[in-house]
Amino acid sequence: MNAVEVTGVSKVFRVAKGAEVVALDSVSLSVVPGEFVSLIGPSGCGKSTLLRLIADLDQPTAGEVLVFGKSARQARIDQDYGIAFQQAGLLPWRTVTGNIELPLELHGVGKAARRARAQDLLALVGLSDFADRYPDQLSGGMQQRVAIARSLAESPELLLMDEPFGALDEMTRERMQTELVRICAETGAAVVFVTHSIPEAVYLSSRVVVMSPRPGRIQEVVTVGLGSAGTRDDALREDAAFFASVKAVREALHGDAVHEKAPHSVRGVETR
Amino acid sequence: MTAAVPSLSLRAKSTNARVRPYVFGALGLVLLALVWEAYKAVGPAEGVMIGDITVLPRTSDIAMPHLWTMWERLGEPVTSAAGSPALWFAVLQAAGFTLGIAAVGWLVGVSVGMLLAIVMQRFRTAESALLPWVVLSQTVPLIAIAPLVKRWGAQIEVGAFDWEDWMSVALIASYLAFFPVSIGALRGLGSPDKAHLELMHSYAAGWWSTLLRLRLPASVPYLLPALRLAAANAVIGTVVAEVSIGLRGGVGRMMVEFASAASGDPAKPWAPIFGAVLVGLIAAGVVIVLGLFVGRYRRGEVSA
Ligand SMILES: Nc1ncnc2c1ncn2[C@@H]1O[C@H](COP(=O)(O)OP(=O)(O)O)[C@@H](O)[C@H]1O
Ligand SMILES: [Mg+2]
């Protein structure tokens, strides 16, 4: 059974009277358990929308979204996924531990079990010394790591991440990518990861889904053959295979631009 | 790593910022006293008039007793009758009485205000149905409702329970206190970011869990000023209602009683006024102390 099965999904937003935005147009995608899939494309191509449909934060206009064989709604109720956004979204009045414990608390996990789980997760993201800090006492990168720990709290088989490193500086970002690869290897969770950085997508993923805007469609799916998550490390960033994949994704993105004779349509994608 | 540094500087700054208002408050009081005595010393005896209208009071000892006369008067007995307690003691007792009623009014008002806000937050239709009435309620003058409340109260008699006049006063105080709380809480309950609400939704948290873990904590920064306003309103409501309902024992009634002594004993009417100020200060102080206990819910105020 697939972790995510999106079949012929369309999403139309009604903006003003009569005006419509086709955010997604018959998109189909499957993600197998344990797989890391990135969604990449110029801004406005429907990456966030697709992720939100999988998370049941929005409903598709047409088509079907299945998560572990269930409806997205049921999967949300069963807490089959963890979620992280570009903004860490920590509750400012809760300590780091309190924030990580929030989903556990909401689902009736006992106090001792919560504490233990939060401690494990803090160790996993390297923030054990900051357990009792409040979010405003942490740097952006630390906050984002807490958010990731929180998304892992209930050991989900699926992680949904929308540009979680988008607001971080380049250095922190690379370190976080390395950490995420390690965490995924340890937890074995499938990940759907939205980004607008090509190197980030290639470094993290086994497959990169390249999308194009107006209407939002899947342009091409690039398979990255860089080995399993457990064997990826920083040296990979210098690897020839890495550059080959970066080139492939870039060409997939630009292919669209050539086709439309509108190079600006790839604006918003970092090709560094 | 480096997180200890910002947290330290943050704390140092906040203590400084916390003390400053009190320093300015004390300076303001001193200034007020100086202006009083200065005007009394140099102002014209008949006061300042523009046409027929007095814009500044007479400076006679009857209209404007010296501050130290007022102070000395507090130490003397209330009346010349034998066994009369010291004025300060009587005022303190009355202030305690008023504070008690104001506290009941405040508690009732805060509860009703919170409840209204929660209902309005929960049901959009309730907001559009209730909010205009909530706002309108405050335009009804206190003087108009006091006799009504007293009359209605007199008709309540359930078993051993008997409606008493002090309850009417507390009810009127709560009538003034609930308003800022309902408005402040409504804004606070609606204040969480969309991202936080969606996070709770992704956790399949119901309305009640979302209220407890997100909306209520997020509304604390909005609630504290509202509670402070409610405290001030409850005190004013109590003092005014004591007068219009004619309840003995509090500073409101004492003001009226002592005002008649003004010509012969000009410092005496000031004593219950100080008593009312004291009640107001204590009420405000209690809310400030309350705010210290919920400090962590105010972190949102500090971090940008
Ligand atoms: N709630 C919404 N209401 C109206 N239009 C929306 C809404 N959310 C997204 N859109 C539109 O849908 C398109 C895709 O948006 P989004 O999924 O956020 O793109 P991306 O994440 O790839 O940048 C955009 O044109 C955007 O303006
Ligand atoms: Mg987006």
Side-chain angles (χ1 to χ4, degrees):
Chain A
M1 191 201 329
N2 282 336
V4 178
E5 189 69 64
V6 174
T7 325
V9 159
S10 300
K11 177 68 186 177
V12 180
F13 287 108
R14 197 142 290 142
V15 272
K17 232 174 267 170
E20 287 181 342
V21 176
V22 183
L24 291 173
D25 183 31
S26 47
V27 165
S28 299
L29 172 72
S30 15
V31 178
V32 299
E35 188 186 20
F36 200 120
V37 172
S38 285
L39 308 180
I40 196 168
S43 66
C45 70
K47 306 180 293 289
S48 299
T49 304
L50 181 53
L51 200 80
R52 291 170 56 83
L53 293 182
I54 299 171
D56 189 42
L57 294 175
D58 237 328
Q59 281 71 46
T61 316
E64 188 185 40
V65 178
L66 293 180
V67 177
F68 296 110
K70 301 178 251 190
S71 70
R73 182 182 148 76
Q74 192 57 46
R76 172 174 63 83
I77 291 166
D78 295 348
Q79 296 297 298
D80 286 332
Y81 67 80
I83 195 161
F85 298 100
Q86 180 166 7
Q87 298 300 326
L90 305 176
L91 300 183
W93 54 84
R94 282 178 171 247
T95 61
V96 165
T97 307
N99 267 289
I100 296 175
E101 286 184 10
L102 175 67
L104 302 169
E105 208 177 297
L106 282 166
H107 301 121
V109 177
K111 196 173 174 127
R114 275 188 341 236
R115 253 319 112 85
R117 181 73 185 138
Q119 261 169 23
D120 288 352
L121 287 166
L122 280 173
L124 186 70
V125 297
L127 285 177
S128 295
D129 294 342
F130 296 86
D132 297 323
R133 294 294 175 82
Y134 285 90
D136 62 354
Q137 300 171 325
L138 304 181
S139 69
M142 289 166 152
Q143 290 188 20
Q144 202 52 259
R145 275 192 273 171
V146 176
I148 290 172
R150 179 178 65 184
S151 71
L152 293 167
E154 296 182 282
S155 314
E157 295 285 305
L158 173 65
L159 277 177
L160 304 175
M161 307 181 119
D162 193 351
E163 302 189 26
F165 309 146
L168 306 181
D169 59 86
E170 196 60 27
M171 303 261 293
T172 317
R173 195 164 164 164
E174 285 198 358
R175 206 168 55 237
M176 297 288 287
Q177 290 165 3
T178 310
E179 253 175 85
L180 183 60
V181 163
R182 174 181 58 80
I183 289 169
C184 288
E186 281 180 41
T187 59
V191 184
V192 180
F193 188 95
V194 171
T195 178
H196 55 242
S197 153
I198 297 177
E200 180 167 271
V202 169
Y203 180 72
L204 293 170
S205 319
S206 45
R207 279 192 301 151
V208 178
V209 175
V210 180
M211 297 178 69
S212 62
R214 284 170 302 251
R217 284 202 178 115
I218 292 182
Q219 169 103 356
E220 201 174 321
V221 179
V222 178
T223 305
V224 184
L226 294 177
S228 68
T231 62
R232 294 183 185 207
D233 56 24
D234 263 339
L236 194 67
R237 294 184 201 275
E238 315 287 325
D239 201 288
F242 176 76
F243 286 118
S245 291
V246 167
K247 187 160 173 278
V249 173
R250 188 177 298 155
E251 277 169 0
L253 277 163
H254 283 246
D256 171 53
V258 170
H259 203 68
E260 277 189 7
K261 292 199 169 74
H264 64 264
S265 72
V266 290
R267 226 182 3 207
V269 176
E270 292 170 24
T271 48
R272 283 176 280 156
Chain B
M1 288 188 280
T2 54
V5 183
S7 82
L8 271 178
S9 63
L10 204 103
R11 195 157 306 147
K13 202 175 119 199
S14 70
T15 33
N16 223 333
R18 210 172 277 165
V19 170
R20 198 165 305 146
Y22 299 106
V23 174
F24 281 121
L27 279 178
L29 266 180
V30 171
L31 199 70
L32 193 67
L34 283 178
V35 167
W36 179 272
E37 289 297 337
Y39 174 69
K40 184 169 164 55
V42 303
E46 309 79 35
V48 176
M49 313 261 291
I50 297 178
D52 283 342
I53 308 156
T54 311
V55 286
L56 286 172
R58 296 162 190 274
T59 52
S60 64
D61 279 345
I62 291 179
M64 288 182 71
H66 279 294
L67 289 173
W68 50 87
T69 320
M70 299 179 198
W71 177 253
E72 281 165 7
R73 183 63 188 85
L74 282 174
E76 294 157 15
V78 180
T79 60
S80 51
S84 176
L87 184 57
W88 68 265
F89 184 77
V91 166
L92 226 53
Q93 225 168 11
F97 182 85
T98 299
L99 185 64
I101 295 179
V104 172
W106 184 80
L107 278 176
V108 172
V110 168
S111 313
V112 170
M114 284 302 294
L115 221 68
L116 274 177
I118 288 170
V119 169
M120 286 193 279
Q121 200 287 312
R122 178 71 181 85
F123 304 102
R124 266 284 108 89
T125 46
E127 180 176 345
S128 34
L130 282 173
L131 198 55
W133 292 107
V134 169
V135 176
L136 213 62
S137 74
Q138 299 303 302
T139 61
V140 180
L142 203 58
I143 307 295
I145 54 169
L148 279 179
V149 171
K150 187 179 163 137
R151 189 137 30 86
W152 288 334
Q155 287 161 17
I156 297 177
E157 213 184 314
V158 189
F161 176 80
D162 216 358
W163 188 264
E164 291 173 38
D165 273 354
W166 75 263
M167 295 177 190
S168 299
V169 174
L171 191 68
I172 290 166
S174 73
Y175 184 81
L176 292 192
F178 96 95
F179 178 69
V181 177
S182 61
I183 299 296
L186 184 62
R187 277 193 59 203
L189 292 174
S191 70
D193 299 343
K194 186 160 171 267
H196 284 153
L197 288 169
E198 290 191 335
L199 187 74
M200 296 303 275
H201 182 66
S202 82
Y203 293 146
W207 174 79
W208 181 245
S209 311
T210 307
L211 178 71
L212 281 188
R213 296 210 167 65
L214 180 61
R215 290 191 189 277
L216 278 178
S219 65
V220 168
Y222 296 81
L223 266 178
L224 285 175
L227 292 180
R228 209 148 48 220
L229 251 174
N233 282 2
V235 171
I236 293 170
T238 306
V239 172
V240 174
E242 276 174 358
V243 175
S244 32
I245 286 189
L247 179 70
R248 308 183 67 91
V251 285
R253 184 60 196 255
M254 195 180 244
M255 281 178 199
V256 177
E257 278 170 16
F258 288 8
S260 58
S263 53
D265 193 354
K268 194 175 171 186
W270 290 93
I273 293 178
F274 291 141
V277 171
L278 184 69
V279 173
L281 285 179
I282 292 174
V286 168
V287 177
I288 289 173
V289 170
L290 210 70
L292 297 182
F293 281 105
V294 292
R296 69 191 179 112
Y297 295 107
R298 305 172 67 182
R299 286 189 164 268
E301 290 174 272
V302 205
S303 71

